[in-house]
Amino acid sequence: MIFEGKYTYNKMAQQYSAILLIDNVSNEITLTINGDKKSYSLCEIKISDSLGSLPDVLYCSDGGCFTCDKKNQLRKIIRSKKKKKLEIIDFLERRKATCLYLFMSLILMTTLVFQYVIPYSSGIIAKNIPIFIQKSLGEETLALLDKSELKPSKLPLEKQQEISLLFNNIMPIELKNSPLRPSLIFRDFPGEANALTLADGTIIITDELINLTKDENEIASVLLHEMGHHYHQHIMHTLVSSSSIKLLFLWMIGKTSNLEELLINSGSLLLSLSYSRDMELEADQFALDAMVEQERPIEMMKSMFTKLSEQHVNVNSKLLSSHPSWQERLDNLDKALLQQ
């Protein structure tokens, strides 16, 4: 809205032609006097009271004033805008309890979304990710690991064949019939005993871990633990959760090509992720159940976990680290031993 009038500078009597512009978006007022522009917010101005036919006068914070013919209704417009602003402030001040309630409700809703809605939706998305994406992601991650952390295995071929045979023998039937049947590869990871699972079901076991074992059942417990991660799709669930907002949005609007591109190029992201506490315990339980079903001694699983805990490393490498403490996992094994 534009108004024409006269402007008088502070402590001056001479009047100058001026144009007043009210920005309806920011409610900021701009005065233009002979090319000189002055801007004011609503709180920096005061409008005169209505006195008969006298013109409306706008008093500015710097002492200047703008006079406008009353018929232009400048006073009415300024008062209405200032009233709306004051009404909002007044509403907030008089309803502090309501505002606090709304703020706390927002925090609660946000917490529920991140604690329940996102994990639940992430699980649904993870279970419906095409196999070709998981294969591509597994290949990409392995390539990155081979370039950075892992070295070719130095184990004798006979030892590799022996462990590969064990791997196939202990694999549960549900995984043998899976479209993404687990496979085993050997790598050297100097200084650390590790095993890890990739998105396509590839399980990597390092020379250092194998050299740490004295019994095939110790190796079996580690391999079954990694199979548990693959069976429950923990790696895909973790990846989806880490990109939950963007993935959920793409999934809801049906942009599957964008979703596939995002996932396929996420191999490097996986190197910085970690399994949740529940995922690690779920993989432990999978291994424990398989050990019992195959009549393998649980003591060997505890022995393996104890050795790893003493070295202060995780069963999983830097690809995905464990959240629960080793003591919690060993306590669970003690409970299982007492129930036998």
Side-chain angles (χ1 to χ4, degrees), residues 138-242:
E139 292 170 359
E140 179 189 354
T141 307
L142 179 59
L144 288 171
L145 286 170
D146 282 340
K147 288 181 180 179
S148 57
E149 305 288 347
L150 305 180
K151 308 297 180 184
S153 174
K154 299 175 183 177
L155 285 178
L157 182 58
E158 296 77 8
K159 187 65 175 178
Q160 293 187 33
Q161 292 174 340
E162 175 188 333
I163 297 173
S164 294
L165 180 60
L166 173 66
F167 179 81
N168 291 323
N169 288 338
I170 66 174
M171 188 185 301
I173 188 66
E174 55 265 36
L175 288 178
K176 287 183 177 179
N177 297 329
S178 171
L180 282 175
R181 175 177 172 141
S183 59
L184 180 66
I185 62 174
F186 301 88
R187 290 292 187 273
D188 181 34
F189 196 168
E192 292 190 43
N194 289 273
L196 56 122
T197 304
L198 305 184
D200 60 350
T202 299
I203 294 175
I204 304 172
I205 191 166
T206 65
D207 298 353
E208 290 72 20
L209 189 144
I210 294 171
N211 293 331
L212 191 64
T213 61
K214 302 297 182 183
D215 187 286
E216 74 166 23
N217 289 304
E218 291 181 332
I219 300 176
S221 67
V222 174
L223 294 175
L224 286 168
H225 173 90
E226 296 304 322
M227 290 181 192
H229 282 310
H230 180 58
Y231 177 76
H232 291 292
Q233 293 185 304
H234 288 161
I235 193 166
M236 294 308 303
H237 195 289
T238 302
L239 177 60
V240 172
S241 296
S242 67

Side-chain angles (χ1 to χ4, degrees), residues 26-214:
S26 64
N27 287 330
E28 192 174 72
I29 293 172
T30 302
L31 277 167
T32 303
I33 312 104
N34 293 331
D36 181 21
K37 287 191 176 183
K38 296 175 174 288
S39 296
Y40 308 91
S41 62
L42 286 176
C43 62
E44 294 179 303
I45 61 172
K46 181 181 177 181
I47 191 74
S48 64
D49 293 327
S50 179
L51 296 174
S53 60
L54 291 177
D56 291 325
V57 180
L58 194 68
Y59 299 97
C60 305
S61 58
D62 58 4
C65 60
F66 175 79
T67 305
C68 180
D69 194 303
K70 184 177 287 293
K71 67 180 180 180
N72 290 322
Q73 297 187 325
L74 174 63
R75 175 182 171 277
K76 182 178 180 180
I77 293 172
I78 294 295
R79 283 288 178 91
S80 65
K81 286 185 175 295
K82 295 192 75 170
K83 182 180 179 182
K84 288 179 181 178
K85 185 174 181 179
L86 291 172
E87 283 177 350
I88 295 174
I89 297 174
D90 181 63
F91 175 84
L92 294 174
E93 289 183 345
R94 288 190 295 106
R95 293 171 175 80
K96 292 179 180 178
T98 302
C99 294
L100 179 61
Y101 172 77
L102 292 174
F103 179 71
M104 296 302 294
S105 298
L106 178 62
I107 293 177
L108 177 60
M109 289 179 62
T110 303
T111 301
L112 291 174
V113 166
F114 279 92
Q115 189 169 355
Y116 297 105
V117 176
I118 288 179
Y120 177 76
S121 59
S122 297
I124 294 176
I125 295 174
K127 290 179 181 179
N128 289 278
I129 292 174
I131 291 176
F132 82 89
I133 292 181
Q134 298 181 58
K135 287 183 176 179
S136 297
L137 186 55
E139 292 170 359
E140 179 189 354
T141 307
L142 179 59
L144 288 171
L145 286 170
D146 282 340
K147 288 181 180 179
S148 57
E149 305 288 347
L150 305 180
K151 308 297 180 184
S153 174
K154 299 175 183 177
L155 285 178
L157 182 58
E158 296 77 8
K159 187 65 175 178
Q160 293 187 33
Q161 292 174 340
E162 175 188 333
I163 297 173
S164 294
L165 180 60
L166 173 66
F167 179 81
N168 291 323
N169 288 338
I170 66 174
M171 188 185 301
I173 188 66
E174 55 265 36
L175 288 178
K176 287 183 177 179
N177 297 329
S178 171
L180 282 175
R181 175 177 172 141
S183 59
L184 180 66
I185 62 174
F186 301 88
R187 290 292 187 273
D188 181 34
F189 196 168
E192 292 190 43
N194 289 273
L196 56 122
T197 304
L198 305 184
D200 60 350
T202 299
I203 294 175
I204 304 172
I205 191 166
T206 65
D207 298 353
E208 290 72 20
L209 189 144
I210 294 171
N211 293 331
L212 191 64
T213 61
K214 302 297 182 183

